């Protein structure tokens, strides 16, 4: 699913950045949000093909002015190499969710066999990948089956146009 950037007030915004893969870099990024009273809803950090850099993808709520302020402040941090607000243009978003069910309450009709990643005499674990909205809807759908545990990665995002988040252009 390709999402268009959101222009409405107080919408979920997805920000991606490249930062130095150094001790304390993540702490400084998170500290910037904390100092300004902004909440980070999700945060995913992973290595890149360059071992000196990590890619951080986060989501937050805010209007355009708040997110513009956040991105400008992030860009000033010494550990941050590049920042982009993915919500400014079309982008693809995906999130991973793992759900654990008691075998007796597992809703077979809600999942395909390929979603089952493990099962025992007592437990069934499933894996689902989709947009945050799709996963929110699935959680609502299976709530009556009383999942034992739900774990979500938070969204990853990549632009759907020629813009790239890279130091090599």
């Amino acid at each position: 699913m390709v999402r268009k950037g959101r222009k409405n007030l107080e919408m979920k915004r997805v920000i991606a950045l490249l930062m130095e893969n150094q001790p304390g870099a993540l702490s400084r990024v998170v500290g910037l949000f904390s100092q300004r009273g902004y909440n980070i809803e999700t945060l995913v950090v992973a290595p890149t093909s360059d071992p000196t850099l990590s890619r951080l993808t986060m989501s937050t709520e805010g209007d355009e002015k708040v997110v513009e302020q956040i991105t400008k402040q992030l860009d000033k941090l010494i550990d941050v190499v590049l920042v982009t607000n993915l919500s400014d243009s079309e982008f693809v978003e995906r999130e991973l969710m793992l759900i654990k069910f008691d075998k007796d309450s597992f809703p077979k009709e809600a999942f395909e066999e390929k979603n089952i990643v493990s099962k025992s005499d007592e437990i069934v674990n499933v894996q689902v990948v989709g947009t945050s909205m799709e996963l929110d809807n699935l959680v609502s759908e299976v709530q009556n089956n009383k999942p034992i545990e739900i774990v979500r990665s938070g969204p990853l995002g990549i632009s759907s146009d020629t813009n790239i988040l890279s130091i090599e252009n």
Side-chain angles (χ1 to χ4, degrees):
M1 173 182 200
V2 175
R3 292 177 37 172
K4 297 238 183 209
R6 301 175 187 198
K7 302 296 182 191
N8 301 354
L9 299 176
E10 296 301 316
M11 297 296 288
K12 182 174 101 171
R13 310 296 172 145
V14 179
I15 299 168
L17 58 93
L18 290 177
M19 65 181 187
E20 298 288 337
N21 189 8
Q22 297 291 329
L26 178 59
S27 176
R28 285 183 279 281
V29 168
V30 172
L32 181 129
F33 275 74
S34 176
Q35 291 168 0
R36 286 161 181 76
Y38 301 135
N39 185 42
I40 298 173
E41 291 197 3
T42 65
L43 181 69
V44 179
V45 183
T48 65
S49 57
D50 180 342
T52 66
L53 298 175
S54 293
R55 181 181 173 118
L56 182 149
T57 306
M58 69 179 86
S59 66
T60 188
E61 294 272 335
D63 62 29
E64 288 181 51
K65 289 184 180 187
V66 167
V67 175
E68 183 178 338
Q69 183 70 20
I70 290 169
T71 56
K72 285 180 180 178
Q73 294 298 316
L74 285 169
D75 210 23
K76 291 179 184 179
L77 290 177
I78 193 159
D79 300 307
V80 174
V81 178
L82 284 172
V83 180
T84 186
N85 177 359
L86 292 174
S87 305
D88 279 345
S89 61
E90 290 187 17
F91 68 103
V92 176
E93 170 199 3
R94 292 294 182 272
E95 183 176 350
L96 170 66
M97 179 169 64
L98 301 171
I99 310 174
K100 181 187 293 187
F101 292 95
D102 183 286
K103 191 171 185 179
D104 295 332
S105 67
F106 175 62
K108 295 179 186 85
E109 66 285 348
F111 300 97
E112 296 179 23
E113 189 65 32
K114 67 181 182 181
N115 294 111
I116 299 173
V117 291
S118 70
K119 59 180 159 179
S120 69
D121 292 338
E122 300 168 357
I123 299 296
V124 177
N125 287 323
V126 294
Q127 164 184 288
V128 183
V129 175
T131 66
S132 296
M133 187 180 300
E134 290 168 342
L135 299 187
D136 290 345
N137 292 339
L138 180 59
V139 168
S140 294
E141 181 183 324
V142 299
Q143 221 38 54
N144 291 339
N145 297 88
K146 297 185 176 31
I148 297 170
E149 189 173 4
I150 298 175
V151 180
R152 294 175 68 163
S153 67
L156 294 174
I158 191 166
S159 68
S160 297
D161 54 26
T162 58
N163 293 329
I164 59 172
L165 187 60
S166 172
I167 59 173
E168 299 171 8
N169 285 335

